[in-house]
Amino acid sequence: MAIPDAAHLVAPLAIATTLGRGRPAVPLAVPFVLGLNGNAITLSTALGEACGLGAGLGDPVTLGAALKQVAAARRAAGRPIRLGVVHRHSSHNYMLRYWLAQVGIRPDEDVVIAVTSPPFAADALATGAIDGICVGEPWNSIAVDRGVGRIALASAQVWRRGVEKVLALTAATAAERPEAVAALVRALHAAAAHFVAPGTAGESAEILARPEYLDAPVDAILRAITDRIRVVPGGEPIHYPDFMFQYREAANFPWRSQAAWLYTQMIRWEGQAFDGQEAAAAMATFRPDLYRAALAGSGAVLPGASSKLEGALGEPIAAGSTQGRLMLGSDRFFDGRAFDPDDMPGYLAGLP
């Protein structure tokens, strides 16, 4: 079997591969972010009712308080709540854990978190193998449409501009084939622009629904990519702006501060101490230099900085750029905490 030159990866896995977490270390390069957010936390219908969920999306703090009570009762009864995520090194895992910890629920102590394959998440909910999932669309919607779950939170409610999937290559390939890498980045940038262009959502949903891709219902995919979520079985889809975020605000730019936040979550949940050299290697996995080189001279917006304070924006603001005009929207974490990539030890020290 031929080894691929590039891959579509959950963002933390690119960092874990570079650092050799659970595998031989292979330095990777991420020149392009494929999208932000697009995930959701879905609870079984029984757990959703026990937590008092209504007909809309929950509030992270209120829902967290209710879930904490249910989790304590379940743990005392010897039946801890089990929540599924797509991979140990995934944004789904880190987003879920961040939310739980910030509302006072201890992952791996108060609840069990296990890896669950997204296409089988609805089956796992239906059989009671798990009580909730944090996965990407359309798998949350499929669970809702089957009547076995209800969407409780969108991942954008946890971190408004949370990094999700990325394009990754080996660092060696990036160095040896710069022209091919640049051409790939330009093609993906053009595809991202087309994806958000008016009138293209229907066509995109039909393509993604094909058996060789998601092999999922067109309607569920269409709802997701147009920011409409059916929260409860049989309910009317609700509109949640920026549920899934691509292209706008330089969304495809690989900010090194995003990689830094993922690194802090990785060592936080794996019980490891901060290591400056590791942190530098994790940040260097994201390659804004390759993004800029590929799109220089085009109409693409190119941020002037390679890192920023994450979670600090509550309102849209103009940001410095070397090409085009860059506006950045709110990127808040639900708890109001900001992340400074220049002070990772301080950030970690302030977490529960």
Side-chain angles (χ1 to χ4, degrees), residues 94-165:
Y94 297 154
M95 287 279 210
L96 176 64
R97 287 173 178 271
Y98 186 87
W99 170 59
L100 292 173
Q102 298 308 104
V103 296
I105 300 171
R106 298 168 299 176
D108 304 320
E109 294 184 49
D110 297 329
V111 297
V112 175
I113 298 179
V115 172
T116 303
S117 176
F120 300 106
D123 293 331
L125 284 170
T127 61
I130 57 174
D131 301 291
I133 52 176
C134 183
V135 297
E137 279 292 81
W139 313 114
N140 300 280
S141 290
I142 288 172
V144 171
D145 290 343
R146 284 183 53 182
V148 298
R150 56 143 306 152
I151 295 175
L153 294 174
S155 63
Q157 291 176 271
V158 178
W159 181 14
R160 187 69 179 175
R161 291 287 187 267
V163 61
E164 226 305 285
K165 304 292 195 311

Coordinates of all heavy atoms in Angstrom, one line a residue, residues 94-165:
Y94 N -10.7 17.2 23.1 CA -10.3 18.3 23.9 C -11.4 19.3 24.2 O -11.4 19.9 25.2 CB -9.1 19.0 23.2 CG -7.9 18.1 23.1 CD1 -6.9 18.3 22.1 CD2 -7.7 17.1 23.9 CE1 -5.8 17.5 21.9 CE2 -6.5 16.2 23.8 CZ -5.6 16.4 22.8 OH -4.6 15.6 22.7
M95 N -12.3 19.6 23.2 CA -13.4 20.5 23.4 C -14.3 19.9 24.5 O -14.8 20.7 25.4 CB -14.2 20.6 22.1 CG -13.5 21.5 21.1 SD -13.7 23.2 21.4 CE -13.6 23.9 19.7
L96 N -14.6 18.6 24.4 CA -15.5 18.0 25.4 C -14.9 18.1 26.8 O -15.5 18.5 27.8 CB -15.8 16.6 25.0 CG -16.6 15.8 26.0 CD1 -18.0 16.3 26.2 CD2 -16.6 14.3 25.7
R97 N -13.6 17.7 26.9 CA -12.9 17.8 28.2 C -12.8 19.2 28.7 O -13.0 19.4 30.0 CB -11.5 17.1 28.0 CG -11.5 15.6 27.9 CD -10.2 15.1 27.6 NE -10.2 13.6 27.5 CZ -10.0 12.8 28.5 NH1 -9.7 13.3 29.7 NH2 -10.0 11.5 28.3
Y98 N -12.5 20.1 27.9 CA -12.4 21.5 28.3 C -13.8 22.0 28.9 O -13.8 22.6 30.0 CB -12.1 22.4 27.1 CG -11.8 23.9 27.6 CD1 -10.5 24.3 28.0 CD2 -12.8 24.8 27.6 CE1 -10.3 25.6 28.4 CE2 -12.6 26.1 28.0 CZ -11.3 26.5 28.4 OH -11.1 27.8 28.8
W99 N -14.8 21.7 28.2 CA -16.2 22.1 28.7 C -16.5 21.4 30.1 O -16.8 22.1 31.1 CB -17.3 21.8 27.7 CG -18.6 21.9 28.3 CD1 -19.2 23.1 28.8 CD2 -19.6 20.9 28.4 NE1 -20.5 22.8 29.2 CE2 -20.8 21.5 29.0 CE3 -19.7 19.6 28.0 CZ2 -21.9 20.8 29.2 CZ3 -20.9 18.8 28.3 CH2 -22.0 19.5 28.9
L100 N -16.3 20.1 30.1 CA -16.6 19.4 31.4 C -15.8 19.9 32.5 O -16.3 20.2 33.6 CB -16.3 17.9 31.2 CG -17.2 17.1 30.2 CD1 -16.6 15.7 30.0 CD2 -18.6 17.1 30.7
A101 N -14.5 20.1 32.3 CA -13.6 20.5 33.4 C -14.0 21.9 33.9 O -13.9 22.2 35.1 CB -12.1 20.5 33.0
Q102 N -14.3 22.8 33.0 CA -14.6 24.2 33.4 C -15.9 24.3 34.1 O -16.2 25.3 34.7 CB -14.5 25.1 32.1 CG -13.2 25.1 31.4 CD -12.0 25.5 32.4 OE1 -11.2 24.6 32.7 NE2 -11.9 26.7 32.7
V103 N -16.8 23.3 34.0 CA -18.1 23.4 34.7 C -18.0 22.5 36.0 O -19.0 22.2 36.6 CB -19.3 23.0 33.8 CG1 -19.5 24.0 32.7 CG2 -19.2 21.6 33.3
G104 N -16.8 21.9 36.3 CA -16.6 21.2 37.5 C -16.8 19.7 37.4 O -16.9 19.0 38.4
I105 N -16.8 19.2 36.2 CA -16.9 17.7 36.0 C -15.5 17.2 35.6 O -14.9 17.7 34.7 CB -17.9 17.4 34.9 CG1 -19.3 17.9 35.3 CG2 -18.0 15.9 34.6 CD1 -20.3 17.8 34.1
R106 N -15.0 16.2 36.4 CA -13.7 15.7 36.1 C -13.7 14.6 35.1 O -14.2 13.5 35.4 CB -13.1 15.2 37.5 CG -12.9 16.3 38.5 CD -12.6 15.7 39.9 NE -13.7 14.8 40.3 CZ -13.7 14.1 41.4 NH1 -12.6 14.1 42.2 NH2 -14.7 13.3 41.8
P107 N -13.2 14.8 33.9 CA -13.1 13.8 32.9 C -12.2 12.6 33.5 O -11.2 12.9 34.2 CB -12.4 14.4 31.7 CG -12.7 15.9 31.9 CD -12.7 16.1 33.4
D108 N -12.6 11.4 33.2 CA -12.0 10.2 33.6 C -12.2 9.8 35.0 O -11.8 8.7 35.5 CB -10.4 10.2 33.3 CG -10.1 10.5 31.8 OD1 -10.8 10.0 31.0 OD2 -9.2 11.3 31.6
E109 N -12.8 10.7 35.8 CA -13.2 10.4 37.2 C -14.7 10.4 37.4 O -15.3 9.5 37.8 CB -12.5 11.4 38.1 CG -11.0 11.3 38.2 CD -10.4 12.2 39.2 OE1 -10.8 12.3 40.4 OE2 -9.4 13.0 38.9
D110 N -15.3 11.6 37.0 CA -16.7 11.7 37.2 C -17.5 11.1 36.0 O -18.6 10.7 36.1 CB -17.1 13.2 37.3 CG -16.6 13.8 38.5 OD1 -16.4 13.1 39.6 OD2 -16.3 15.0 38.5
V111 N -16.8 11.0 34.8 CA -17.4 10.4 33.6 C -16.3 9.6 32.9 O -15.1 9.9 33.1 CB -18.0 11.5 32.7 CG1 -19.1 12.3 33.3 CG2 -16.9 12.5 32.2
V112 N -16.8 8.7 32.1 CA -15.8 7.9 31.3 C -15.8 8.5 29.9 O -16.9 8.7 29.3 CB -16.2 6.4 31.3 CG1 -15.4 5.6 30.3 CG2 -16.2 5.9 32.7
I113 N -14.7 8.6 29.3 CA -14.6 9.1 27.9 C -13.9 8.0 27.1 O -12.8 7.6 27.4 CB -13.8 10.4 27.8 CG1 -14.6 11.5 28.6 CG2 -13.7 10.9 26.3 CD1 -13.9 12.9 28.6
A114 N -14.6 7.6 26.0 CA -14.1 6.5 25.2 C -14.1 6.8 23.8 O -14.9 7.7 23.3 CB -14.9 5.2 25.5
V115 N -13.3 6.2 23.0 CA -13.3 6.4 21.5 C -14.4 5.7 20.9 O -14.7 4.5 21.2 CB -11.9 6.0 20.9 CG1 -12.0 6.0 19.4 CG2 -10.8 6.8 21.4
T116 N -15.2 6.4 20.1 CA -16.4 5.8 19.4 C -16.3 6.3 17.9 O -16.2 7.4 17.6 CB -17.7 6.3 20.0 OG1 -17.7 6.0 21.4 CG2 -18.9 5.7 19.3
S117 N -16.4 5.3 17.0 CA -16.4 5.7 15.6 C -17.7 6.5 15.2 O -18.8 6.0 15.5 CB -16.4 4.4 14.7 OG -16.5 4.7 13.4
P118 N -17.5 7.7 14.6 CA -18.6 8.5 14.3 C -19.8 7.8 13.5 O -20.9 8.0 13.9 CB -18.0 9.7 13.5 CG -16.6 9.8 14.1 CD -16.2 8.3 14.3
P119 N -19.5 7.1 12.5 CA -20.6 6.4 11.7 C -21.4 5.5 12.6 O -22.6 5.2 12.2 CB -19.9 5.7 10.6 CG -18.6 6.4 10.4 CD -18.2 6.8 11.8
F120 N -20.9 5.0 13.7 CA -21.6 4.0 14.6 C -22.0 4.7 15.9 O -22.5 4.0 16.8 CB -20.7 2.8 14.8 CG -20.3 2.1 13.6 CD1 -19.0 2.2 13.1 CD2 -21.2 1.4 12.9 CE1 -18.6 1.5 11.9 CE2 -20.9 0.7 11.7 CZ -19.6 0.8 11.2
A121 N -21.9 6.0 16.0 CA -22.2 6.7 17.2 C -23.7 6.6 17.5 O -24.1 6.3 18.7 CB -21.8 8.1 17.1
A122 N -24.6 6.7 16.5 CA -26.0 6.5 16.8 C -26.3 5.1 17.2 O -27.2 5.0 18.1 CB -26.8 6.9 15.5
D123 N -25.7 4.1 16.7 CA -25.9 2.8 17.1 C -25.5 2.6 18.6 O -26.2 1.9 19.4 CB -25.1 1.8 16.3 CG -25.6 1.7 14.8 OD1 -26.8 1.9 14.6 OD2 -24.8 1.4 14.0
A124 N -24.4 3.2 19.0 CA -23.9 3.1 20.3 C -24.8 3.8 21.3 O -25.1 3.3 22.4 CB -22.5 3.7 20.4
L125 N -25.4 4.9 20.9 CA -26.4 5.6 21.7 C -27.7 4.7 21.8 O -28.3 4.6 22.9 CB -26.8 6.9 21.1 CG -25.8 8.1 21.3 CD1 -26.2 9.3 20.4 CD2 -25.7 8.5 22.8
A126 N -28.1 4.1 20.7 CA -29.3 3.3 20.7 C -29.2 2.1 21.6 O -30.2 1.7 22.3 CB -29.6 2.9 19.3
T127 N -28.0 1.5 21.7 CA -27.9 0.3 22.5 C -27.5 0.6 24.0 O -27.5 -0.3 24.8 CB -26.7 -0.6 21.9 OG1 -25.5 0.1 21.9 CG2 -27.1 -1.0 20.5
G128 N -27.2 1.9 24.2 CA -26.9 2.3 25.6 C -25.4 2.0 25.9 O -25.0 2.2 27.0
A129 N -24.6 1.7 24.9 CA -23.2 1.6 25.1 C -22.5 2.9 25.5 O -21.5 2.9 26.2 CB -22.5 1.0 23.8
I130 N -23.0 4.0 25.1 CA -22.6 5.3 25.5 C -23.8 6.2 25.8 O -24.9 5.9 25.3 CB -21.7 6.0 24.4 CG1 -22.5 6.1 23.1 CG2 -20.4 5.3 24.3 CD1 -21.7 6.9 22.1
D131 N -23.6 7.2 26.5 CA -24.7 8.1 26.9 C -24.6 9.5 26.2 O -25.6 10.3 26.3 CB -24.6 8.4 28.4 CG -24.7 7.1 29.3 OD1 -25.8 6.5 29.3 OD2 -23.7 6.7 29.9
G132 N -23.5 9.7 25.5 CA -23.4 11.0 24.8 C -22.2 10.9 23.8 O -21.3 10.0 24.0
I133 N -22.1 11.8 22.9 CA -21.1 11.8 21.9 C -20.6 13.2 21.7 O -21.4 14.2 21.8 CB -21.5 11.2 20.6 CG1 -22.8 11.8 20.0 CG2 -21.6 9.7 20.7 CD1 -23.2 11.3 18.7
C134 N -19.4 13.4 21.3 CA -18.9 14.7 20.7 C -18.2 14.3 19.4 O -17.1 13.8 19.4 CB -17.9 15.4 21.7 SG -17.4 17.0 21.0
V135 N -19.0 14.5 18.3 CA -18.5 14.1 17.0 C -18.9 15.2 16.0 O -19.6 16.2 16.3 CB -19.1 12.8 16.5 CG1 -18.7 11.6 17.4 CG2 -20.7 12.9 16.5
G136 N -18.4 15.1 14.8 CA -18.7 16.1 13.8 C -20.0 15.7 13.1 O -20.6 14.6 13.3
E137 N -20.5 16.6 12.3 CA -21.7 16.4 11.6 C -21.4 15.5 10.3 O -20.2 15.6 9.9 CB -22.4 17.7 11.1 CG -23.2 18.3 12.2 CD -24.5 17.5 12.5 OE1 -24.3 16.6 13.3 OE2 -25.5 17.9 12.0
P138 N -22.3 14.7 9.8 CA -23.7 14.7 10.1 C -24.1 13.7 11.2 O -25.3 13.4 11.4 CB -24.4 14.3 8.8 CG -23.4 13.3 8.3 CD -22.0 13.9 8.7
W139 N -23.1 13.2 12.0 CA -23.4 12.0 12.8 C -24.3 12.4 14.0 O -25.0 11.6 14.5 CB -22.1 11.4 13.3 CG -21.2 11.2 12.1 CD1 -20.0 11.7 11.8 CD2 -21.5 10.3 10.9 NE1 -19.5 11.3 10.6 CE2 -20.4 10.5 10.0 CE3 -22.6 9.5 10.6 CZ2 -20.3 9.8 8.8 CZ3 -22.5 8.9 9.3 CH2 -21.4 9.0 8.5
N140 N -24.2 13.7 14.5 CA -25.1 14.1 15.6 C -26.5 14.1 15.0 O -27.5 13.7 15.7 CB -24.7 15.5 16.0 CG -23.3 15.5 16.6 OD1 -23.1 15.2 17.7 ND2 -22.4 16.0 15.8
S141 N -26.7 14.7 13.8 CA -28.0 14.8 13.3 C -28.6 13.5 13.0 O -29.8 13.3 13.1 CB -28.0 15.7 12.0 OG -27.7 17.0 12.3
I142 N -27.8 12.5 12.6 CA -28.3 11.2 12.3 C -28.8 10.6 13.6 O -29.9 9.9 13.6 CB -27.2 10.3 11.7 CG1 -27.0 10.8 10.2 CG2 -27.6 8.8 11.7 CD1 -25.8 10.2 9.5
A143 N -28.1 10.8 14.7 CA -28.6 10.3 16.0 C -29.9 10.9 16.4 O -30.9 10.2 16.9 CB -27.6 10.5 17.1
V144 N -30.1 12.2 16.1 CA -31.3 12.9 16.4 C -32.5 12.4 15.5 O -33.6 12.0 16.0 CB -31.2 14.4 16.2 CG1 -32.5 15.1 16.3 CG2 -30.2 15.0 17.3
D145 N -32.2 12.3 14.2 CA -33.2 11.8 13.2 C -33.6 10.4 13.5 O -34.8 10.0 13.2 CB -32.7 11.9 11.8 CG -32.5 13.3 11.3 OD1 -33.1 14.2 12.0 OD2 -31.8 13.6 10.3
R146 N -32.8 9.6 14.1 CA -33.1 8.2 14.5 C -33.9 8.1 15.8 O -34.4 7.1 16.3 CB -31.9 7.3 14.6 CG -31.4 6.9 13.2 CD -30.2 6.0 13.3 NE -30.4 4.8 14.2 CZ -29.5 3.9 14.5 NH1 -28.3 4.0 14.0 NH2 -29.8 2.9 15.2
G147 N -34.0 9.3 16.5 CA -34.7 9.3 17.8 C -33.9 8.8 19.0 O -34.5 8.5 20.0
V148 N -32.6 8.7 18.9 CA -31.8 8.1 20.0 C -30.9 9.2 20.7 O -30.2 8.8 21.6 CB -30.9 7.0 19.4 CG1 -31.7 5.8 18.9 CG2 -29.9 7.5 18.4
G149 N -31.0 10.4 20.2 CA -30.2 11.4 20.9 C -30.8 12.8 20.6 O -31.7 13.0 19.8
R150 N -30.2 13.8 21.3 CA -30.6 15.2 21.0 C -29.3 16.0 21.2 O -28.5 15.8 22.1 CB -31.7 15.6 21.9 CG -31.5 15.5 23.4 CD -32.1 16.7 24.1 NE -31.6 17.9 23.6 CZ -32.3 19.1 23.6 NH1 -33.5 19.2 24.1 NH2 -31.7 20.2 23.0
I151 N -29.2 17.0 20.3 CA -28.0 17.8 20.3 C -28.1 18.8 21.5 O -29.1 19.6 21.6 CB -27.8 18.6 19.0 CG1 -27.6 17.5 17.8 CG2 -26.7 19.6 19.0 CD1 -27.5 18.1 16.5
A152 N -27.1 18.8 22.3 CA -27.1 19.6 23.5 C -26.3 20.9 23.3 O -26.8 22.0 23.8 CB -26.5 18.8 24.7
L153 N -25.2 20.8 22.7 CA -24.3 22.0 22.5 C -23.6 21.9 21.2 O -23.3 20.8 20.7 CB -23.2 22.1 23.6 CG -23.6 22.3 25.0 CD1 -22.3 22.2 25.9 CD2 -24.2 23.7 25.2
A154 N -23.4 23.0 20.5 CA -22.5 23.1 19.4 C -21.1 23.3 19.9 O -20.9 24.0 20.9 CB -22.9 24.2 18.4
S155 N -20.1 22.8 19.2 CA -18.7 23.0 19.7 C -18.4 24.5 19.6 O -17.5 25.0 20.4 CB -17.7 22.2 18.9 OG -17.7 22.6 17.5
A156 N -19.0 25.2 18.7 CA -18.8 26.7 18.7 C -19.2 27.4 19.9 O -18.8 28.5 20.2 CB -19.5 27.3 17.4
Q157 N -20.1 26.8 20.7 CA -20.5 27.3 22.0 C -19.4 27.2 23.1 O -19.4 27.9 24.1 CB -21.8 26.7 22.5 CG -23.0 27.0 21.7 CD -24.2 26.3 22.2 OE1 -24.5 25.1 21.8 NE2 -24.9 26.9 23.2
V158 N -18.5 26.2 22.8 CA -17.4 26.0 23.8 C -16.2 26.9 23.4 O -15.7 27.6 24.2 CB -16.9 24.5 23.8 CG1 -15.8 24.3 24.7 CG2 -18.1 23.6 24.2
W159 N -15.8 26.9 22.1 CA -14.8 27.8 21.6 C -15.3 28.3 20.2 O -15.4 27.5 19.3 CB -13.4 27.1 21.5 CG -12.3 27.9 21.0 CD1 -12.3 29.3 20.9 CD2 -11.0 27.5 20.5 NE1 -11.1 29.7 20.4 CE2 -10.3 28.6 20.1 CE3 -10.5 26.2 20.4 CZ2 -9.0 28.5 19.6 CZ3 -9.2 26.1 19.9 CH2 -8.4 27.3 19.5
R160 N -15.6 29.5 20.1 CA -16.2 30.1 19.0 C -15.5 29.8 17.6 O -16.1 29.8 16.6 CB -16.5 31.6 19.2 CG -17.3 32.2 18.1 CD -18.8 31.8 18.2 NE -19.6 32.5 17.2 CZ -20.9 32.2 17.0 NH1 -21.5 31.2 17.7 NH2 -21.5 32.8 16.1
R161 N -14.2 29.8 17.7 CA -13.4 29.6 16.4 C -12.4 28.4 16.6 O -11.3 28.5 16.3 CB -12.7 30.8 16.0 CG -13.5 32.0 15.6 CD -14.1 31.7 14.2 NE -14.8 32.9 13.7 CZ -16.1 33.1 13.8 NH1 -16.9 32.2 14.5 NH2 -16.7 34.2 13.3
G162 N -12.9 27.3 17.2 CA -12.1 26.2 17.5 C -11.6 25.5 16.2 O -12.4 25.2 15.3
V163 N -10.3 25.2 16.2 CA -9.7 24.6 15.0 C -10.1 23.1 15.0 O -10.2 22.4 16.0 CB -8.1 24.7 15.0 CG1 -7.5 24.0 16.3 CG2 -7.5 24.1 13.8
E164 N -10.4 22.6 13.8 CA -10.9 21.3 13.6 C -10.0 20.4 12.7 O -9.1 19.8 13.2 CB -12.4 21.3 13.1 CG -13.4 20.5 13.8 CD -13.0 19.0 13.9 OE1 -13.1 18.3 12.9 OE2 -12.6 18.6 15.0
K165 N -10.4 20.3 11.5 CA -9.6 19.5 10.5 C -8.5 20.3 9.8 O -8.7 21.5 9.6 CB -10.6 18.8 9.5 CG -11.7 18.0 10.0 CD -11.3 16.8 10.7 CE -12.5 15.8 10.9 NZ -13.7 16.4 11.6

